Amino acid sequence: TRKLPTFVRVVLVFSRAAEYRNTTTVLLPTTMEYQFESHKERKLTVLTFKDVTNSGVLLKQIIAGNLGVEASFFNASLIPDITPIIAAANKALFAESRGKLVTRTLYSEIIFNVSGSKHITETLKRWGISESSTGLVVAKFDATPAELQIIRDSVKGSEIDNADVGQLMDLKATKKAYHIADPELQVGSLTDAILTRIAVRDCS
């Protein structure tokens, strides 16, 4: 198993148990809450769905603001695992705390951050939900059970374990989107390459 970044403490939430387990390894149940070392009062819940059939409807609801809950909806075909989303969310929290969000909302900021790009419109279209998305990753801060139920009721697809999100990824499209060449993957993982881009975007 691969270690998560040190700024994140992972809290696994099992649907059939009333207990919480703290760990730093990737052993993901369907629902997972992440607590950030730098913002201990905030938690991020992540849900993953496959075989989604109503992305077009969801996109219209999100744009109109009538979905009933605010969250980040990611195109799962560009997500190798959950770690880049955690890193992007952590970066978004820092920006929010300093009053320096680049995008209009905290949730669009996470999508913007996960791309490692400086082009907001392109990023939201490519990494966010589209009408043709069949795999979705949904991230929600400080989610209540009612809010999670709204998300589950709204997405017409099958919820899967977060650990299986890589099965929904299009490797060729992901490498192209992040401008990752094969030699780079000989010295590190795909996730490592993406995290590097997330980290250094604002330094260039």
Side-chain angles (χ1 to χ4, degrees), residues 32-191:
M32 193 169 192
E33 289 183 348
Y34 303 83
Q35 186 172 5
F36 302 88
E37 291 295 335
S38 57
H39 299 83
K40 294 183 183 296
E41 74 283 2
R42 306 301 299 269
K43 292 181 180 180
L44 185 75
T45 301
V46 179
L47 306 175
T48 302
F49 299 89
K50 69 174 183 178
D51 301 328
V52 179
T53 60
N54 68 327
S55 288
V57 173
L58 290 171
L59 180 59
K60 291 178 181 178
Q61 290 178 317
I62 293 169
I63 293 174
N66 59 13
L67 183 62
V69 62
E70 287 188 277
S72 297
F73 283 74
F74 294 89
N75 172 11
S77 68
L78 299 179
I79 307 295
D81 62 49
I82 304 302
T83 311
I85 293 178
I86 305 171
N90 184 69
K91 193 171 183 178
L93 287 177
F94 269 109
E96 182 187 49
S97 67
R98 297 167 181 170
K100 293 185 177 181
L101 289 178
V102 177
T103 64
R104 297 175 65 180
T105 72
L106 180 62
Y107 291 107
S108 60
E109 192 82 4
I110 303 174
I111 299 173
F112 175 58
N113 286 342
V114 85
S115 72
S117 169
K118 291 187 176 182
H119 304 288
I120 296 175
T121 301
E122 176 188 346
T123 290
L124 297 181
K125 287 182 178 180
R126 180 178 288 188
W127 275 267
I129 183 176
S130 70
E131 291 185 356
S132 61
S133 298
T134 57
L136 294 176
V137 179
V138 185
K140 170 66 179 171
F141 279 114
D142 310 317
T144 65
E147 289 173 328
L148 293 179
Q149 193 59 51
I150 289 174
I151 294 172
R152 289 188 169 106
D153 290 343
S154 298
V155 178
K156 305 306 179 185
S158 301
E159 186 174 354
I160 64 173
D161 195 295
N162 285 337
D164 295 329
V165 67
Q167 298 177 12
L168 308 179
M169 180 191 65
D170 182 327
L171 179 59
K172 183 178 180 180
T174 301
K175 290 167 62 179
K176 181 179 179 180
Y178 284 101
H179 304 289
I180 298 172
D182 289 335
E184 186 174 356
L185 298 181
Q186 294 176 5
V187 296
S189 69
L190 180 62
T191 296

Side-chain angles (χ1 to χ4, degrees), residues 13-21:
V13 185
F14 290 82
S15 60
R16 296 184 179 180
E19 65 179 359
Y20 289 80
R21 299 182 184 182

